[in-house]
Amino acid sequence: MLRYMLKRIMGAIPTLFLLITISFFMIRVAPGGPFDSEKDLPPQIQKNLEAKYHLDEPLHQQYFRYLGNIVQGDFGPSFQYKDFTVTELIVKGFPVSLTIGGVALLFALIMGVTLGTLAAVRQNSWVDYVLMSTAMTGISIPNFVIAPLLILYFAVYRDWFPAGGWGDGQWRYLVLPVLALSLRYIAYIARLMRGSMIEILQSDYIRTAKAKGLSMTQTVLKHALKPALMPIVSYLGPAAAGIITGSVVIEKIFGVPGLGQYFVQGALNRDYTLVMGVIIFIGVLIVVFNLIVDILYAYLDPKIRLEQT
Amino acid sequence: MHNQKIESLEKASALSHQKDEHGKSLWFFAWQRLKQNKLALSSVIVLTLMVLLILIGPFFSPYEFDFIDWENMSTPPDYSTQHYFGTDAMGRDLFVRTLQGGRISLMVGFVATFVSLIIGVTYGAIAGYMGGRIDNIMMRIVDIMYALPFMFLVIMLMVVFGQHIFLIFAAIGGYIWLDMARIVRGQTMSLKGKEFVESAIAVGATTPAIIFKHIVPNLLGIVCVYVTLTIPQVILVESFLSFLGLGVQEPFTSWGALVNEGAQDMEIAPWSLIYPATFLATTLFCFNFIGDGLRDALDPKDN
């Protein structure tokens, strides 16, 4: 097991390295420098500024300096938010995004697994058809379409939940963003779950369980649920990445002060260091999350562990 | 009982009869199966109508997509002024803009998918056919790229190089090929050992000829399925970018950009959100159903 974990961790390193390298050089070839907004600086000041941010060094030296700084968690100063470093902005925005994303992922898992199991148990009944065509609709409607519609109905017409803002994380502020963010994943997980549950329910040991007189509920809960969850576990990685990406849009629509907001603002204002910092941070997050999912998967399914070590 | 027997006999004779007139292709049977899938078939019809509307619809409106009607700003749908879908906050006709946005969205969808098709099929077929070390390295690269947060990199690309529509094509097509490459590789590996490949090797065909003349044509089925599933994905990505204000630039528009504008005025002008949103969702819906239907039709073992 330890060997497997080590192998996975080693495998993640090139990805992170590539990500940082791409980001670094993309920013460096970007037209315009960080001090363009200031009106014609006297050459001496320009030089001093460049020296302060080490922009006067040769490119490779800058690159290794940047790598070194990142390892220490220093993403440099933000160009747009003058009084903050990028690290401070990330620390400020991340807990908010984590709350929304985490709750959305959990909600999607619980709802998706429940609905998918229900559809599988009642395969080809009207329950199945209704659930699966709803799921298809859920997959086809992007979150930036669902979110305004949710606001229009639940906040503007019905006034049940606030239309936006954060309110220091009160649950009423969480409902609509989480719903908008998770609908697509509920739908997807439900479809996956239905497929794998149907397959498991046809296997011999389930027939044995039924034959010895267990009720359907007991059979499903005790014998079928765990193996049927395997594809869901492996989908967790892409789902988390998708939720992180989706939360950029959701945060923009609901005006939530999370990481995604900073990212979009940074992107629109060409705040290179902020954009880059957030990308690298999110990249690390996704890689680490995938790592956890892989290890969890290997833990649940001994076959994989044996094959790959 | 008796009836069933007769029925099964009839079926058997029908089957043997079909066998006699050989020459019916995979595509013929796929089409037969697809025709029975009502959802997929109606999706094809809806989508065709949508494309027709997008292509010829603007000719039925007296307005241009960037024409500003100063008399009618943010007006609801009204047939007397011929603003069938109403107007936006700047007084531009939403019917024409929705169709024009559809042109851009669909064009991005097709072009970027085509780019990903070319890269993905070539890459996947080469990796799968060569096998061994080359395959290992090529797939390792795909794995590494898979783990990158690509949406964010595309956004950064937009930020750094400006928002040009061809950049959008290239950027989206350049990362969406990964799925295609993986699928094609898997299929190629299973085709590699087949007799027709061996016979091609035996008559001295070169490796590129084997890959592109003998293997790639046999991949068409699976590629077709994934193309129909990739197009909505690409449309979604473009809409996502446009929604954030990083995609298509004014006065041109796309469904994502229209939804974004609509979402901002939805309290006073809900029609400006609902029409483009419906068009976008319907298109994605249809593509997904067609893709699913095609998959069932071309891969009968699931049924």
Side-chain angles (χ1 to χ4, degrees):
Chain A
M1 191 65 192
L2 196 70
R3 258 185 68 191
Y4 176 74
M5 279 168 77
L6 267 178
K7 206 183 146 193
R8 301 301 314 199
I9 293 172
M10 297 304 278
I13 290 173
T15 305
L16 290 179
F17 190 71
L18 186 72
L19 180 63
I20 294 172
T21 311
I22 292 177
S23 315
F24 178 84
F25 285 101
M26 218 190 248
I27 296 297
R28 279 298 173 271
V29 297
F35 314 116
D36 280 0
S37 54
E38 264 95 348
K39 280 174 210 157
D40 286 331
L41 288 173
Q44 186 54 39
I45 294 179
Q46 176 91 22
K47 238 183 202 155
N48 287 345
L49 271 173
E50 278 178 3
K52 188 183 169 214
Y53 295 114
H54 306 288
L55 291 175
D56 52 348
E57 292 171 3
L59 204 58
H60 61 94
Q61 214 168 327
Q62 287 184 36
Y63 175 63
F64 287 115
R65 180 185 298 280
Y66 190 74
L67 270 183
N69 285 345
I70 283 177
V71 171
Q72 295 164 24
D74 177 10
F75 292 107
S78 162
F79 294 141
Q80 181 198 357
Y81 302 90
K82 291 271 189 262
D83 299 330
F84 293 95
T85 66
V86 171
T87 312
E88 280 168 351
L89 289 173
I90 291 176
V91 169
K92 226 168 73 168
F94 181 55
V96 175
S97 303
L98 185 67
T99 313
I100 291 188
V103 176
L105 189 60
L106 204 67
F107 185 61
L109 262 178
I110 295 172
M111 292 298 288
V113 168
T114 314
L115 295 178
T117 309
L118 210 64
V121 172
R122 298 252 180 280
Q123 191 191 354
N124 293 335
S125 73
W126 64 269
V127 180
D128 184 20
Y129 291 137
V130 169
L131 281 177
M132 282 307 114
S133 41
T134 317
M136 200 65 196
T137 321
I139 288 175
S140 300
I141 303 181
N143 54 11
F144 56 83
V145 172
I146 285 185
L149 292 176
L150 285 178
I151 296 180
L152 195 63
Y153 188 74
F154 288 108
V156 178
Y157 290 158
R158 291 265 167 244
D159 203 19
W160 289 348
F161 301 106
W166 181 231
D168 287 325
Q170 290 166 26
W171 70 270
R172 291 188 37 163
Y173 287 85
L174 271 176
V175 175
L176 290 186
V178 164
L179 205 59
L181 194 51
S182 58
L183 277 178
R184 183 182 173 79
Y185 297 94
I186 294 177
Y188 206 91
I189 291 175
R191 272 164 57 99
L192 267 183
M193 189 67 197
R194 175 180 177 272
S196 85
M197 186 56 103
I198 285 176
E199 200 168 297
I200 298 282
L201 285 180
Q202 285 164 351
S203 59
D204 290 342
Y205 72 92
I206 295 295
R207 201 176 308 144
T208 313
K210 276 188 204 157
K212 78 178 183 186
L214 281 188
S215 71
M216 194 64 187
T217 324
Q218 273 176 318
T219 319
V220 168
L221 290 182
K222 282 195 183 152
H223 298 283
L225 196 59
K226 197 184 155 193
L229 278 175
M230 293 307 285
I232 312 291
V233 173
S234 59
Y235 177 63
L236 278 183
I243 282 183
I244 291 173
T245 316
S247 81
V248 171
V249 161
I250 296 298
E251 285 175 18
K252 185 187 176 226
I253 296 175
F254 289 95
V256 175
L259 215 52
Q261 271 286 31
Y262 288 124
F263 182 74
V264 174
Q265 285 310 312
L268 291 172
N269 293 316
R270 294 178 168 251
D271 187 346
Y272 295 143
T273 44
L274 182 60
V275 169
M276 203 158 127
V278 174
I279 288 184
I280 292 172
F281 181 76
I282 284 173
V284 173
L285 212 66
I286 292 178
V287 167
V288 169
F289 195 83
N290 276 327
L291 207 64
I292 294 173
V293 168
D294 279 350
I295 291 171
L296 187 72
Y297 200 73
Y299 178 77
L300 287 174
D301 187 358
K303 251 190 331 201
I304 299 197
R305 193 166 52 209
L306 293 175
E307 269 167 22
Q308 299 201 346
T309 37
Chain B
M1 199 54 198
H2 188 66
N3 270 341
Q4 267 181 357
K5 215 173 182 181
I6 291 180
E7 228 170 69
S8 66
L9 269 176
E10 273 173 355
K11 258 186 199 162
S13 72
L15 268 180
S16 63
H17 186 65
Q18 263 186 357
K19 252 182 198 161
D20 286 343
E21 39 174 317
H22 57 88
K24 275 186 182 156
S25 67
L26 171 77
W27 297 100
F28 176 80
F29 288 114
W31 173 238
Q32 292 295 320
R33 278 192 289 267
L34 192 66
K35 269 203 293 200
Q36 277 158 25
N37 186 338
K38 291 202 182 69
L39 267 173
L41 198 65
S42 33
S43 295
V44 172
I45 296 170
V46 171
L47 206 60
T48 316
L49 291 178
M50 177 98 80
V51 171
L52 280 179
L53 184 64
I54 283 169
L55 290 180
I56 60 176
F59 297 115
F60 292 99
S61 173
Y63 303 102
E64 287 290 314
F65 71 93
D66 54 355
F67 172 77
I68 295 173
D69 188 347
W70 299 96
E71 324 268 88
N72 293 300
M73 283 183 170
S74 270
T75 51
D78 183 358
Y79 287 93
S80 61
T81 55
Q82 288 185 294
H83 290 300
Y84 308 118
F85 290 179
T87 55
D88 66 5
M90 287 177 70
R92 293 176 298 193
D93 182 65
L94 271 172
F95 175 71
V96 177
R97 281 185 79 69
T98 303
L99 298 184
Q100 195 267 334
R103 277 187 197 176
I104 301 255
S105 283
L106 286 180
M107 191 170 70
V108 172
F110 285 116
V111 174
T113 302
F114 187 71
V115 172
S116 87
L117 179 75
I118 302 288
I119 306 178
V121 169
T122 314
Y123 197 94
I126 292 176
Y129 184 75
M130 301 308 276
R133 216 194 166 85
I134 297 176
D135 176 40
N136 239 329
I137 294 171
M138 285 176 85
M139 280 319 176
R140 207 52 213 122
I141 293 173
V142 169
D143 283 346
I144 290 174
M145 293 185 69
Y146 240 110
L148 293 176
F150 251 103
M151 188 60 90
F152 292 89
L153 284 179
V154 168
I155 292 175
M156 189 158 86
L157 207 68
M158 297 289 148
V159 173
V160 170
F161 293 108
Q163 295 140 14
H164 198 272
I165 192 153
F166 285 102
L167 202 62
I168 302 180
F169 293 150
I172 299 175
Y175 96 85
I176 228 150
W177 63 272
L178 295 172
D179 277 321
M180 187 74 84
R182 277 194 172 174
I183 293 153
V184 166
R185 168 180 172 265
Q187 283 289 305
T188 308
M189 278 168 53
S190 69
L191 284 179
K192 199 163 76 169
K194 293 268 161 74
E195 291 87 345
F196 71 90
V197 177
E198 271 170 32
S199 75
I201 297 173
V203 298
T206 58
T207 307
I210 293 173
I211 293 178
F212 292 104
K213 277 198 180 147
H214 298 278
I215 289 183
V216 170
N218 282 290
L219 297 170
L220 275 181
I222 193 118
V223 165
C224 248
V225 172
Y226 276 89
V227 162
T228 40
L229 292 173
T230 305
I231 292 172
Q233 245 181 306
V234 175
I235 293 179
L236 202 60
V237 174
E238 191 281 327
S239 305
F240 184 93
L241 289 173
S242 292
F243 181 83
L244 292 176
L246 291 163
V248 182
Q249 293 301 297
E250 289 283 338
F252 292 98
T253 190
S254 79
W255 283 335
L258 283 170
V259 169
N260 183 24
E261 287 164 19
Q264 282 161 11
D265 332 321
M266 66 182 171
E267 285 163 37
I268 44 163
W271 58 87
S272 61
L273 170 65
I274 289 172
Y275 287 110
T278 310
F279 270 74
L280 175 59
T282 309
T283 307
L284 296 177
F285 205 67
C286 289
F287 271 117
N288 279 329
F289 270 124
I290 296 172
D292 268 15
L294 266 182
R295 179 160 48 197
D296 291 347
L298 287 166
D299 187 12
K301 77 167 181 281
D302 271 356
N303 299 346

